[in-house]
Amino acid sequence: MAKGKNINGNGDGSYTIIGRGVVARPTLIKEVKEGKHPDTHVYKRNGVEYARNNPNNNVPDNIND
């Protein structure tokens, strides 16, 4: 599966995974919780879950959603 830096937020509740295409937020959140996306975790804000990259020193850490 995709590493965090290969996942981009589309700003509409979906994400684009390079090499896979557009994925709905609930699908990506489920996959992250199942451990299918290394370097990515789930962040909850105001009751809504978002995918975020784990911090590192080399690339931007947030998936922009």
Side-chain angles (χ1 to χ4, degrees), residues 9-32:
N10 297 328
D12 64 358
S14 68
Y15 297 86
T16 298
I17 300 175
I18 297 173
R20 181 171 166 194
V22 176
V23 178
R25 180 184 294 137
T27 302
L28 181 58
I29 296 301
K30 179 181 175 197
E31 291 176 359
V32 170

Side-chain angles (χ1 to χ4, degrees), residues 17-62:
I17 300 175
I18 297 173
R20 181 171 166 194
V22 176
V23 178
R25 180 184 294 137
T27 302
L28 181 58
I29 296 301
K30 179 181 175 197
E31 291 176 359
V32 170
K33 288 180 177 181
E34 291 172 348
K36 294 182 178 179
H37 297 281
D39 304 325
T40 306
H41 65 278
V42 175
Y43 168 75
K44 192 171 188 176
R45 181 179 64 209
N46 297 327
V48 179
E49 294 179 315
Y50 300 90
R52 291 289 181 253
N53 294 345
N54 295 340
N56 63 55
N57 295 323
N58 298 319
V59 295
D61 294 325
N62 288 329

